[in-house]
Amino acid sequence: MNLFGRWGELACRLRFAVIGVMVAGLLALGGYGMGLDNHLSSGGMFDDSSESVEAARIAGGAFGATHDVDVVVLFTAPDGRTVDDPGFSETVVAHLNALPRDHPGQIAGVKASYWQTETGAVSAALVTKDRTRALAAIGLRGANDAEMALNYRIVKDDFGIPGMDVRVAGMQPVSATLNNTVADDLHRMELMAIPLVGVLLFFIFGGVVAAALPLLIGLLTIFGAFGVVRFVTNFTEVNSFVSPVVSMIGLGLAIDYGLFIVSRFREELAAGYDTRTAVKRTVMTAGRTVVFSATMIVASLGGLLLFPQGFLKSIAYGAIATVTIAALTALTVLPAVLAILGPRVDMLGLNRFRRTKSAAKLESGFWWRSTGWVLRHPRKVAIPLVLGLLLLIIPMRNLIFGGFSEKYLPPDNPTRVAQEQIDKHFPLRKADPLEIVFISGTSAAVGPVWNVANQAPGLAGQFEIPARSSTQPDVYRTKAPVVDINHAGATIEYLRKMELPEGMTLLVGGVPALQKDSIDALLQRIPWMIALVLLVTTLLMFLTFGSLVLPIKAALMSGLGLGSTLGILTWVFIEGHGASLLNFTPQPGQATMLVLIIAIVYGLSTDYEVFLVSRMVEARSRGASTEEAIRTGTAQTGGIITAAALILLVVTGAFAFSDLVLMQYIAYGMIAALFIDATVLRMFLVPATMRLLGDRVWWAPAWMQRIQRRIGMGEPILDDELPPITVPDLTEARH
């Protein structure tokens, strides 16, 4: 008996202790994770080793933290009046002066405004030519993004003036609106997805008890994962986007794992085994597959750790913790509960739906017949499907990248409208200027270089006269707006290639440079991520199945599915098909989202591959031919993979209604990937391809097979099986 069999027996024997320890531990983690949002930030989007981040560090040390665009308030005078009218201006000034007095712990003061205030500088540039609109820039307190975000949430409703047209934008309002949208998405999932998943599970299992078990595993997983993420925030910055990713992956994947284990347990009971034996066999088969599936998904998500952006690292920490807890819970709590329930797992149900089919009955149903047709016509199935998937990949030629902005919010969102109004009426006050930091021992050398910098292409205005640091006199800084932040590459390259006097250092920073350096770092590391993930998953699949051809085939299938998904996303979100229906603005794709989608989609694709092929290998280990193994494995997993994909579709579908384009990007990407993977690939293209390969699909060099057998990760041979099930002869079916 292998390790999984021994664990299955131990879970039966110590079932109450296992449940008590695991549930108490996960609930404790959930309690610790309460208030997680207060410890998350909107940072981590840039490459900390880049020149632009170094420029920000030097400028911050020499000039102090910049709070010029924390909050930018646009005041519009009533029709027929101007911002200079005494009644209007006095009201605004009194309001601006009161803000830091009323909120001393959150608001540092007015940084600059058109009017004279108690704490800010006066700038004539902060009023339009017709004097109907004026700005005030307000600085928040906080040593980092998380503290400033928390302070803004406290005072966000206090910037308006009753009866006056006041619009609030800037870095923190935009960031807070994005985060609030994520919170709304999580609330929608709680209200829509969880109840609907419960209904689906009831019809899948035909009973309340069986349906409740995977849902219980999903909720415990989310509780535990939030606690782990909260712990991680003590050591590193964690982006707020981790919350929906943890919820989406945690709920969907944990329910899938629970679905596979409960289904296998009921199948073993239907085959005639007693409760203890059924639990042991379930853990040895479905439990083992869950472990290897989770390991491969973790390997795929681990590729995110190759990137320098804290955003991707924080997503990796949260997602890896979620997948690990999902598998651990499915292999501890679930077997112990099943050991207690036994046949009572079908309680509180409807006989019409809860009839569990044994393996023999599954092999005469719909999936058995449909797979038989695929095996008789493999070329007719494979060629059109491959061509169709390749056609879906074509839109990827238009894939371009951009950074985060207010345009990821709906066109009618108040914060986005405010920011666009400010950018329209004050084009030289954009929140994303380009910045140059000079380090020079002589001030005379700065002027000529500044003149050359003003000749750079793509500038919307000239660089300001360089300011000299009062604490570090050899450091100077200047800023200028760019015409298009997403096409500032030529401007940045021009500045970085300028000839400099001896002894001068010039660093190009600001949001456009931060964005460019971040995208460059991503594109440089994506090939390494793909290579590493392919290597690790290929090795793990070989150790699991003993074949070198199977993991190569799986990688090609997953590549087709992933490419098709990215092509669909490009066609919709970048080319803009359906923009009015989904209420978003077509724009360059967010590069970090591309990396995240690659990791998640490839991991899920491998997940279904493992569950499908494991049943094929199990049949093969019992003496079935290649065709019999393909047909048996597909028949036994077709319904359950479809159900698992449907559950994940419901969970991700809740996020498809998000107002945040980034969440729509992930949600629709997963929906497309799940549909392609669970139907086109697993049920049609995989069997057809394996039929064309024939017995070669099980091939691996003899020396590799010896290593695989020695390690002992192969499909277990169950020592307490009932008499072998007779598999129908396919010879007659083929004729």
Side-chain angles (χ1 to χ4, degrees), residues 209-233:
V209 174
L213 295 180
L215 199 57
L216 172 67
I217 297 302
L219 295 176
L220 287 174
T221 295
I222 293 177
F223 291 154
F226 278 149
V228 172
V229 173
R230 169 65 183 87
F231 179 74
V232 172
T233 62

Side-chain angles (χ1 to χ4, degrees), residues 267-284:
E267 183 181 319
E268 298 296 341
L269 289 179
Y273 293 104
D274 60 58
T275 297
R276 182 176 293 272
T277 305
V279 169
K280 184 183 71 172
R281 288 170 61 87
T282 297
V283 175
M284 290 178 70

Side-chain angles (χ1 to χ4, degrees), residues 67 70 140-142 144-152 172:
H67 293 276
D70 285 353
L140 299 176
R141 298 193 184 279
N144 51 52
D145 285 334
E147 291 181 7
M148 285 191 291
L150 180 59
N151 286 334
Y152 177 73
Q172 289 304 321

